[in-house]
Amino acid sequence: FPGQVGTGGELSPAEARRVACAAGMVQQEPGGAAGLAAAAGEAAAGTAEVRLSRRRWVVVLLFSSYSLCNAFQWIQYSSINNVFLRFYGVSAFAIDWLSMSYMLTYIPLLFPVAWLLDKRGLRLIALAGSALNALGAWVKLGSLKPHLFPVTVLGQVICSLAQVFILGMPSHIASVWFGSHEVSTACSIAVFGNQLGIAVGFLVPPVLVPNVEDVEKLAYHISIMFFMTAGVATALFILVVIVFKEKPLHPPSRAQALIQSRPPEEYSYVQSILRLLRNANFLLLMVTYGLNTGCFYALSTLLNRMVIHHYPGEEVNAGRIGLTIILSGMVGALISGIWLDRTKTYKQTTLVVYIMSLAGMIAYTFTLSLGHLWVVFVTAGMLGFFMTGYLPLGFEFAAELTYPESEGTSSGLLNVSAQVFGIAFTISQGQIMDRYGTKAGNIFLCSFLFLGTVMTAFIKADLRRQQANLDNEQTVIRSGERPEGPRSSSAPTGCSAQ
């Protein structure tokens, strides 16, 4: 952070205090021992060894994999809504709640889980998330009779608990394990797994569970899907136990070194939340992220109903349309992450992607009923590229606006907003579709995407994390060292693995 270098390449106590105060980490109380200690820690972070661990790619890919499995379990009922509706003999609204349970559970449990993430770290959260995901998958195997709908609800609720330990982690994993030149790409890869899980959830259930009349045959096909899911979830949990580590031996960036140098007793979780809620730019982003992602949740949950309404008997193609939305969104997310790492144009990129999400939703709304499935595939792909591609953008923009606060807390608040809007939009759009048709329901979503676009334009690009990296690179250069980066002397080509 800003501060002139003292003699010998080290910060003086006064200069160190200015460094720490600029980071918002200590109170400016002259002579305070705690403040001086924190300032000394900040100064030490300026010259800490920065090194990238090869394990970082294993960690992010493993997280992405069990996030994939959890997302698959979220959408596996909605993607064949009509099949489960007939098998269990319940209403379409009851099946919709199997998806909405993920949204409802997240809201009250965000703050306890985010507190655990800050106090106990990544490994405990990863173990809890992957364990609950596997447990929920096994519970569902006890629901293979039409009268056992409450058991499948219990299994889905357990999986929804796992999701609370998953959704807020991408930006945190990216910051703790990855350098400043690759952090946005890493976040995109972490989100990538969740989106791929939704894609598989749209594609696989219609194939594994055909819409047959015989209840016994239907139960057999459902059991195959549940057994496969439970096996994969269990294998991933075992891998997390063996492979997943808390953090690398060395901080991967100057910004992360600053955070790790902060004394633990100095951090207040409640104060962190209060600071976030006083950050006007973050509050705007929280609402706009919720509007966009809530629209995506509603669209994903109700997609099968929309497509079957206009194209009866096309359950498999309904799943393929969902797959198209997610796959194109994954490409959009990856491109967005690479673009952000190269340009750091967070505000401009977020606004453009939001505008294009609105355009895609409008195109999808007015082509769904034309009677040509190939047109629906094209417009759904356009919509997915931007709407799903927006998800990692929101995480990374929030991390920039709120540094040095915990990425887990900021991401968690974004996700709470998304769950609240997701529940409201899913229920509202479902009711509108029942009364006025699918076009009216989709226009309802378009109106909120327009509101989100306007609000995004008012967010100020206060890129605090980037400024921290730039200021510390300047400090290190003045002290005779080379800055952290892709070719830093502290992170040579043969970076050591943890």
Side-chain angles (χ1 to χ4, degrees):
F1 277 82
Q4 299 297 320
V5 180
T7 58
E10 298 179 356
L11 295 177
S12 68
E15 291 160 345
R17 168 161 294 284
R18 289 198 299 273
V19 168
C21 291
M25 297 179 184
V26 297
Q27 299 292 329
Q28 295 193 52
E29 298 175 0
L36 286 175
E42 300 298 333
T47 56
E49 182 180 14
V50 172
R51 183 181 298 178
L52 298 178
S53 167
R54 289 196 204 96
R55 187 187 287 265
R56 69 193 188 280
W57 296 110
V58 177
V59 168
V60 76
L61 289 174
L62 181 56
F63 166 79
S64 191
S65 297
Y66 74 79
S67 177
L68 179 157
C69 186
N70 183 256
F72 172 84
Q73 297 199 73
W74 168 57
I75 206 66
Q76 66 181 163
Y77 294 100
S78 293
S79 63
I80 47 174
N81 180 292
N82 57 320
V83 175
F84 278 109
L85 183 153
R86 186 166 56 80
F87 179 74
Y88 287 116
V90 296
S91 67
F93 188 62
I95 300 297
D96 289 343
W97 265 110
L98 289 174
S99 292
M100 287 190 287
S101 65
Y102 266 56
M103 308 174 204
L104 186 64
T105 306
Y106 189 89
I107 297 169
L109 293 180
L110 158 71
F111 294 111
V113 172
W115 180 84
L116 271 178
L117 177 60
D118 285 323
K119 293 297 183 182
R120 300 298 299 274
L122 283 172
R123 179 170 166 81
L124 176 67
I125 300 299
L127 288 170
S130 56
L132 287 168
N133 187 56
L135 176 61
W138 284 108
V139 169
K140 290 178 185 180
L141 279 166
S143 66
L144 295 174
K145 299 289 183 181
H147 66 281
L148 294 176
F149 182 70
V151 178
T152 213
V153 170
L154 175 62
Q156 189 73 343
V157 168
I158 294 173
C159 291
S160 73
L161 294 176
Q163 178 222 210
V164 185
F165 291 86
I166 293 172
L167 274 190
M169 286 182 66
S171 59
H172 199 78
I173 288 175
S175 292
V176 169
W177 281 90
F178 288 82
S180 62
H181 60 286
E182 58 190 12
V183 65
S184 296
T185 303
C187 184
S188 296
I189 293 172
V191 174
F192 193 88
N194 192 272
Q195 301 310 304
L196 182 58
I198 300 173
V200 176
F202 276 120
L203 177 66
V204 172
V207 176
L208 291 181
V209 188
N211 191 8
V212 296
E213 294 295 327
D214 189 283
V215 174
E216 291 297 325
K217 288 184 178 179
L218 196 55
Y220 169 74
H221 290 297
I222 293 173
S223 71
I224 292 175
M225 180 173 69
F226 285 172
F227 264 116
M228 291 174 61
T229 306
V232 171
T234 303
L236 289 170
F237 169 65
I238 293 171
L239 284 174
V240 169
V241 173
I242 297 171
V243 174
F244 206 101
K245 300 297 181 184
E246 179 65 38
K247 62 182 178 180
L249 289 174
H250 304 280
S253 67
R254 296 293 173 191
Q256 190 60 214
L258 278 169
I259 291 176
Q260 292 182 13
S261 68
R262 180 175 56 190
E265 64 274 9
E266 184 187 314
Y267 179 77
S268 168
Y269 179 65
V270 174
Q271 289 300 316
S272 176
I273 293 175
L274 292 176
R275 285 193 294 269
L276 289 176
L277 296 179
R278 288 194 295 265
N279 185 328
N281 291 311
F282 175 72
L283 288 178
L284 276 174
L285 179 63
M286 190 168 75
V287 174
T288 57
Y289 183 90
L291 291 172
N292 189 299
T293 311
C295 288
F296 168 71
Y297 287 161
L299 184 70
S300 300
T301 302
L302 301 172
L303 182 65
N304 176 268
R305 288 171 60 183
M306 291 185 207
V307 176
I308 296 301
H309 176 77
H310 292 288
Y311 306 92
E314 294 287 356
E315 288 89 356
V316 174
N317 274 321
R320 289 171 180 166
I321 290 170
L323 175 69
T324 302
I325 290 174
I326 303 304
L327 289 181
S328 59
M330 289 162 58
V331 175
L334 195 58
I335 291 174
S336 296
I338 295 171
W339 175 259
L340 286 183
D341 277 332
R342 293 192 175 185
T343 66
K344 308 302 181 186
T345 54
Y346 290 86
K347 163 69 178 292
Q348 299 91 324
T349 304
T350 302
L351 181 58
V352 168
V353 169
Y354 219 117
I355 292 171
M356 295 307 297
S357 296
L358 172 60
M361 189 68 209
I362 293 172
Y364 172 79
T365 298
F366 290 97
T367 58
L368 181 62
S369 59
L370 292 181
H372 301 291
L373 266 175
W374 70 269
V375 177
V376 179
F377 273 96
V378 172
T379 54
M382 174 186 170
L383 171 62
F385 183 87
F386 294 104
M387 180 177 280
T388 313
Y390 171 82
L391 302 183
L393 281 178
F395 283 148
E396 281 301 288
F397 199 9
E400 291 291 337
L401 294 175
T402 61
Y403 180 86
E405 307 299 342
S406 168
E407 295 87 354
T409 307
S410 61
S411 297
L413 288 172
L414 291 187
N415 283 321
V416 163
S417 176
Q419 313 307 324
V420 170
F421 282 113
I423 293 172
F425 289 169
T426 301
I427 295 174
S428 300
Q429 188 185 12
Q431 295 297 315
I432 292 171
M433 284 168 52
D434 290 340
R435 295 185 183 183
Y436 305 106
T438 56
K439 183 174 291 185
N442 286 327
I443 289 174
F444 168 79
L445 296 185
C446 289
S447 63
F448 283 99
L449 284 174
F450 175 75
L451 175 63
T453 301
V454 173
M455 293 179 69
T456 300
F458 288 94
I459 300 175
K460 182 181 177 182
D462 181 17
L463 307 183
R464 300 179 180 182
R465 186 174 63 181
Q466 290 305 314
Q467 191 60 46
N469 279 316
L470 289 173
D471 289 340
N472 278 277
E473 284 179 5
Q474 292 172 4
T475 300
V476 171
I477 290 172
R478 289 172 187 154
S479 65
E481 297 182 17
R482 293 178 64 188
E484 171 266 327
R487 299 182 181 177
S488 169
S489 58
S490 59
T493 303
C495 298
S496 66
Q498 182 177 331

